[in-house]
Amino acid sequence: MPLLMQHGYGDSALGWVSGGTFTHALPLKLVDAGYDVWMGNNRGVPYSNEHDRDGEWSIEERWDFTWAEMGIYDMPS
């Protein structure tokens, strides 16, 4: 069964598996239990600092989005 784990504000997917031993990481426990675990990253985390359209838009355009737009456009993808 697929399962998406999405981090909260100011965090990244790394937060699900860091800060302790891997044996205590919830995503890895769920994998061991047979789940197909996916960990998403929102815009604005260190892992979203590169994009295929870099150079096509300004910094202002790149970061001009709302939380609602992340839910509408980013989460479904």
Side-chain angles (χ1 to χ4, degrees):
M1 171 181 284
L3 175 69
L4 172 64
M5 297 184 73
Q6 187 63 43
H7 64 83
Y9 178 75
D11 200 358
S12 71
L14 183 61
W16 290 111
V17 293
S18 64
T21 63
F22 281 130
T23 57
H24 294 108
L26 179 58
L28 300 178
K29 288 182 178 184
L30 292 168
V31 166
D32 288 343
Y35 289 90
D36 181 17
V37 178
W38 294 73
M39 296 183 294
N41 277 312
N42 286 337
R43 302 183 205 187
V45 301
Y47 309 105
S48 66
N49 286 337
E50 294 181 16
H51 191 277
D52 292 342
R53 291 186 55 198
D54 280 352
E56 294 181 30
W57 49 21
S58 69
I59 294 295
E60 291 81 16
E61 290 172 314
R62 180 179 182 162
W63 296 107
D64 184 23
F65 61 89
T66 66
W67 284 96
E69 289 171 327
M70 284 195 303
I72 293 168
Y73 303 112
D74 299 359
M75 293 307 295
S77 63

